[in-house]
Amino acid sequence: MKELAFAGELFDALARRRNITGDSISKAELLEFWDQISDTSFDSRLQTFFDMVDKDADGRITEEEVKEIITLSAAANNLKKVSEQSEEYARLIMEELDPNNLGYIELYNLEMLLLQAPSQSMGIGTTNSRNLSQMLSQHLRPTAEPNPLRRWYRRASYFLEDNWRRCWVILLWLSICVGLFTWKFMQYRERAVFKVMGYCVCVAKGGAETLKFNMALILLPVCRNTITWFRNRTAAGRFVPFDDNINFHKVIAAGISVGAGLHIISHLTCDFPRLLHATEEEYEPMKRFFGDDQPPNYWWFVKGTEGWTGLVMLVLMAIAFTLAMPWFRRGRLSLPKPLNRLTGFNAFWYSHHLFVIVYALLIVHGHFLYLTKKWQKKSTWMYLAVPMVMYACERLTRALRSSVRPVKILKVAVYPGNVLSLHFSKPQGFRYKSGQYIFVNCAAVSPFQWHPFSITSAPQDDYVSVHIRTLGDWTRELKNVFSKVCRPPTEGKSGLLRAEYDRDVGAMSNPSFPKVLIDGPYGAPAQDYKQYDIVLLVGLGIGATPMISIIKDIINNMKRLEGDVESGNPGDASTSASFRTRRAYFYWVTREQGSFEWFRGVMDEIAESDKKSVIELHNYCTSVYEDGDARSALIAMLQSLNHAKNGVDIVSGTRVKTHFARPNWRNVYKRIALNHREQRVGVFYCGAPVLTKELRDLAQDFSRKTNTKFEFHKENF
């Protein structure tokens, strides 16, 4: 056990029972200890737990001893708030088990309470799991295919079934790149320069042609407004994987690296040396390209416009590519000062904007060509014109929209876990879908940087809210800036620090918030949840943000539909048709107890208003040891007792009961597959990449081996 205090208490309890004094035990006593610790029977666990609480070994437990063991259990499970309220919870246990005010409880009292706990704490997510396993095990048992060809065919067909949209886009892109390379390669084989430079010039020009194409194409996946328009207004999303726009951006960047490598290496190591060492007779046809005097050395090529522009582009692109790598962008590398400034999002953001210089140099480089003199054959500007105009319009639209739509900050709250919540006034004409995101700019932190955050409010709300976790230099500074205008909350308000705009008082009395601009909304995978009757929403840590908006939207839509039915009004037919969701399962997995503060109000609101149990809420706190562990036994008992008596969970502070440790995702999928046969289930995950593979693999596995189809969508950060 890593918790030394808890391990010490356990050792003392085992020693007391055997009348062992001192801090050492023999080998035989160690075996006795181990036999009791490893005995998972209820009576053995109960006796061990009772011995830990009953420190004076008189067979009775006082309120002070209960308080002590609650504090110890809370510390072992990293539950700070439970530890702070240990006196209140000790009193609760004594009230329940000592109605006659004897001042103590005995073993049989504890046994009665613990036997009640499992039945009360049985979460919806674990009911009938044994029956489910038996019913589905036959379908889900892997069957090995002995024939390797059939096995390969099955894997290939599964892969294409899951990735056909990505496959055709990549194949089309590769075909265009190969076609352009081949076309230019064959073209230069027929030119006079081939006799001097050979196949090297063909490779260099083929690589340059793919480079021009990819430098134009790489701008399109980051035209967010255009992609959002296509996603929302057209059916293109059915066959174009818009969710993979950034991944495609990275693939094109790899293509640029290959094209640039072929072009530069062929020129420097082959073309130029051959030209420098060509005989007078061989050089004669080259005079119209390189002049009457044969280049004397490498410096002749470098000092020319073609040379220096190419080298400067190479350096700038190398810097941008390197600082965009995850090790630098996410600050995983620890470099000494002042090199540490090269890590983090700021370095990535500023270095990526070197592309402005790169594109300017590329146009110049493409104009001053050694081997092409006619303007109509200089095709660089032709490739770049439309994408550059599109991207310029995109950036102009963002700048104008954010400045024309001013927002007023209505509420700020700083929560445990370094999370900042911002509530803005809703700009006129600002319409969005649950699951989408906006960009936020704060000039007090950086006048140029815009950062994306999922919207946590529902479309029907009269405000727009985001929850921002401190993960980098920009978010850290943003939290510091807003913390200065916040104060500790008044009674009944959540958060560590809080500030609100009050419309009833004068402007001078309200907090002086820093100016904030927003831009958006932009499309995201989670916005497509309305296409499914059944949805499984999974949020890891701060990844719960888009899911919160979705579950609020589901409740609002269900209320509206119920209201229309009760009043006899058919309502908006388009709304009814577009909203198909009738059941939602929300799983929020977080490591810290304080994280539940972020959306405590939302959780309580949904638990209270969801009369028909449309949404199943499952909170998981991974810092608490799983059920059956001695370190969490008392926490589970307290949780059941407090929830039964007060309707509040001691871990989350909400009406939603918290599960301990990590979910068994296979069981989650099993239950949904059994409850919703022959239906499509949309699985939406937002969070760190750590869970992506497991959830995707399970979705594919259950889709193939049951008649329930799980369609997986993810959003990583």
Side-chain angles (χ1 to χ4, degrees):
M1 292 182 179
K2 294 178 182 178
E3 302 79 18
L4 297 181
F6 194 92
E9 291 289 342
L10 181 59
F11 179 91
D12 292 343
L14 295 169
R16 269 197 308 271
R17 184 158 187 80
R18 292 162 179 79
N19 297 317
I20 298 172
T21 57
D23 294 332
S24 61
I25 54 174
S26 66
K27 190 175 181 180
E29 290 167 338
L30 174 61
L31 179 59
E32 286 184 38
F33 279 28
W34 178 251
D35 286 340
Q36 184 170 344
I37 292 173
S38 58
D39 187 349
T40 57
S41 66
F42 176 78
D43 290 337
S44 177
R45 287 284 169 95
L46 178 63
Q47 188 63 62
T48 302
F49 180 70
F50 190 87
D51 290 342
M52 288 180 69
V53 181
D54 185 21
K55 293 191 174 182
D56 53 9
D58 62 353
R60 297 173 176 179
I61 305 175
T62 63
E63 184 174 333
E64 190 60 35
E65 287 174 327
V66 172
K67 178 187 171 185
E68 243 179 273
I69 201 68
I70 289 174
T71 304
L72 200 61
S73 295
N77 290 279
N78 198 24
L79 299 175
K80 187 179 178 183
K81 290 193 173 182
V82 174
S83 183
E84 291 171 354
Q85 295 177 276
S86 59
E87 190 171 338
E88 176 188 337
Y89 292 138
R91 194 181 308 118
L92 179 68
I93 289 176
M94 297 304 289
E95 286 174 4
E96 182 73 14
L97 301 182
D98 182 25
N100 299 323
N101 294 321
L102 299 175
Y104 62 86
I105 57 176
E106 297 183 16
L107 183 62
Y108 77 91
N109 300 117
L110 199 59
E111 182 178 10
M112 181 179 66
L113 182 63
L114 286 170
L115 281 172
Q116 290 173 356
S119 60
Q120 291 175 354
S121 63
M122 182 68 75
I124 301 173
T126 58
T127 53
N128 299 324
S129 61
R130 188 174 301 170
N131 295 336
L132 296 175
S133 299
Q134 292 171 354
M135 294 180 73
L136 288 173
S137 60
Q138 187 175 357
H139 299 287
L140 297 173
R141 189 179 296 117
T143 54
E145 173 58 60
N147 189 318
L149 288 176
R150 287 182 179 176
R151 190 163 59 242
W152 180 87
Y153 174 78
R154 180 187 289 178
R155 288 176 182 172
S157 61
Y158 284 161
F159 178 81
L160 288 174
E161 182 185 343
D162 296 328
N163 299 284
W164 67 270
R165 294 189 303 170
R166 296 186 183 100
C167 287
W168 83 260
V169 170
I170 293 296
L171 283 175
L172 177 63
W173 172 72
L174 285 173
S175 301
I176 294 173
C177 289
V178 171
L180 289 172
F181 182 89
T182 305
W183 168 63
K184 213 64 178 177
F185 186 96
M186 299 304 293
Q187 188 182 80
Y188 269 80
R189 274 193 64 185
E190 306 301 324
R191 297 185 61 170
V193 71
F194 179 75
K195 296 177 181 178
V196 178
M197 298 182 179
Y199 284 103
C200 298
V201 72
C202 299
V203 173
K205 289 300 179 179
E209 203 67 19
T210 64
L211 177 64
K212 289 184 284 187
F213 168 68
N214 284 321
M215 285 294 287
L217 185 64
I218 200 169
L219 294 174
L220 300 184
V222 290
C223 290
R224 291 189 292 265
N225 284 301
T226 306
I227 290 175
T228 301
W229 187 88
F230 273 106
R231 182 200 288 271
N232 292 344
R233 305 291 179 88
T234 71
R238 295 177 184 175
F239 50 88
V240 178
F242 289 123
D243 295 344
D244 291 319
N245 63 316
I246 297 302
N247 289 332
F248 189 45
H249 180 78
K250 294 175 184 177
V251 169
I252 299 169
I256 289 173
S257 301
V258 173
L262 291 173
H263 182 70
I264 295 166
I265 293 170
S266 297
H267 272 333
L268 295 181
T269 64
C270 188
D271 291 339
F272 295 165
R274 285 191 176 195
L275 191 65
L276 292 173
H277 296 97
T279 63
E280 289 185 12
E281 184 181 352
E282 290 173 332
Y283 184 73
E284 185 64 30
M286 300 294 100
K287 286 184 177 180
R288 61 194 179 105
F289 302 122
F290 298 97
D292 293 335
D293 296 327
Q294 186 172 355
N297 49 42
Y298 260 93
W299 176 245
W300 187 91
F301 296 103
V302 173
K303 70 180 182 181
T305 304
E306 302 91 332
W308 71 262
T309 54
L311 292 175
V312 172
M313 278 193 293
L314 175 64
V315 172
L316 294 180
M317 288 169 71
I319 292 171
F321 278 41
T322 302
L323 298 184
M325 294 294 174
W327 309 287
F328 285 91
R329 181 166 50 90
R330 295 186 178 274
R332 294 173 184 168
L333 290 178
S334 55
L335 299 176
K337 292 183 179 180
L339 294 178
N340 61 337
R341 291 180 176 272
L342 296 176
T343 62
F345 189 85
N346 281 348
F348 158 75
W349 192 88
Y350 286 112
S351 65
H352 237 57
H353 281 73
L354 293 172
F355 81 90
V356 177
I357 303 172
V358 170
Y359 276 96
L361 291 174
L362 181 60
I363 293 172
V364 174
H365 185 81
H367 181 73
F368 293 93
L369 295 176
Y370 292 122
L371 303 176
T372 305
K373 301 302 179 184
K374 295 180 180 179
W375 71 270
Q376 65 268 26
K377 292 189 176 182
K378 297 176 180 180
S379 59
T380 303
W381 67 272
M382 300 178 189
Y383 278 104
L384 298 179
V386 173
M388 286 184 69
V389 169
M390 281 183 63
Y391 188 75
C393 292
E394 175 90 11
R395 295 299 292 258
L396 185 62
T397 302
R398 295 184 210 169
L400 291 175
R401 185 169 56 189
S402 60
S403 59
V404 170
R405 289 176 166 178
V407 295
K408 183 180 291 182
I409 297 178
L410 304 177
K411 186 173 74 174
V412 177
V414 179
Y415 292 105
N418 285 321
V419 168
L420 172 70
S421 169
L422 298 177
H423 285 59
F424 312 108
S425 60
K426 201 171 188 177
Q428 188 174 2
F430 186 85
R431 295 174 183 169
Y432 63 93
K433 297 179 180 180
S434 288
Q436 292 185 330
Y437 65 95
I438 58 173
F439 276 78
V440 177
N441 168 273
C442 181
V445 179
S446 171
F448 306 111
Q449 291 189 46
W450 293 79
H451 291 258
F453 299 101
S454 297
I455 301 173
T456 52
S457 53
Q460 299 84 359
D461 293 334
D462 59 356
Y463 61 89
V464 180
S465 66
V466 292
H467 286 66
I468 301 169
R469 179 135 199 204
T470 303
L471 293 174
D473 35 22
W474 187 88
T475 50
R476 190 180 304 111
E477 186 58 31
L478 184 74
K479 174 177 169 284
N480 292 338
V481 165
F482 277 98
S483 295
K484 292 174 183 176
V485 298
C486 292
R487 296 287 181 270
T490 56
E491 189 68 29
K493 300 286 187 178
S494 60
L496 302 173
L497 298 170
R498 196 180 181 91
E500 293 187 53
Y501 179 83
D502 191 346
R503 294 182 175 86
D504 297 330
V505 301
M508 297 296 291
S509 304
N510 277 303
S512 179
F513 292 119
K515 185 180 179 182
V516 169
L517 301 176
I518 65 172
D519 175 46
Y522 292 108
Q527 77 175 60
D528 297 328
Y529 84 93
K530 288 186 179 181
Q531 299 175 8
Y532 300 92
D533 295 329
I534 315 298
V535 292
L536 169 60
L537 311 171
V538 181
L540 187 61
I542 196 65
T545 47
M547 311 309 170
I548 291 295
S549 177
I550 288 172
I551 58 177
K552 289 173 69 177
D553 189 39
I554 291 173
I555 290 295
N556 290 338
N557 276 288
M558 294 300 291
K559 284 180 179 177
R560 188 167 60 217
L561 291 174
E562 286 171 15
D564 291 339
V565 170
E566 289 173 5
S567 63
N569 180 13
D572 189 348
S574 62
T575 303
S576 302
S578 63
F579 181 74
R580 298 175 52 181
T581 309
R582 294 296 178 267
R583 186 73 165 156
Y585 301 86
F586 175 48
Y587 285 78
W588 183 18
V589 184
T590 183
R591 187 174 60 249
E592 302 165 351
Q593 182 191 13
S595 304
F596 295 114
E597 281 280 325
W598 309 343
F599 307 115
R600 190 175 69 186
V602 176
M603 292 289 184
D604 284 337
E605 180 187 345
I606 292 167
E608 186 174 344
S609 60
D610 186 19
K611 304 296 185 186
K612 294 189 175 180
S613 299
V614 174
I615 300 174
E616 276 191 17
L617 300 175
H618 299 272
N619 294 337
Y620 279 81
C621 186
T622 59
S623 70
V624 184
Y625 290 94
E626 61 188 349
D627 288 336
D629 193 297
R631 289 164 286 189
S632 63
L634 181 62
I635 302 298
M637 180 183 72
L638 266 179
Q639 182 191 47
S640 298
L641 185 60
N642 196 67
H643 201 276
K645 190 162 187 177
N646 303 318
V648 177
D649 181 67
I650 64 168
V651 178
S652 66
T654 69
R655 295 177 59 183
V656 182
K657 214 163 189 181
T658 304
H659 305 280
F660 301 156
R662 291 173 172 79
N664 184 326
W665 294 113
R666 180 165 287 275
N667 284 346
V668 171
Y669 276 85
K670 273 184 186 179
R671 190 167 65 88
I672 295 175
L674 186 69
N675 291 342
H676 306 285
R677 299 176 184 180
E678 298 182 356
Q679 288 185 283
R680 287 168 63 242
V681 179
V683 182
F684 296 90
Y685 170 66
C686 182
V690 63
L691 260 182
T692 303
K693 186 178 185 304
E694 182 182 0
L695 293 175
R696 180 194 287 120
D697 290 349
L698 285 169
Q700 293 171 355
D701 195 33
F702 276 81
S703 294
R704 292 161 188 162
K705 297 177 180 178
T706 70
N707 55 17
T708 305
K709 299 304 175 188
F710 292 86
E711 297 181 9
F712 180 75
H713 309 266
K714 57 93 176 176
E715 187 176 351
N716 296 140
F717 51 78

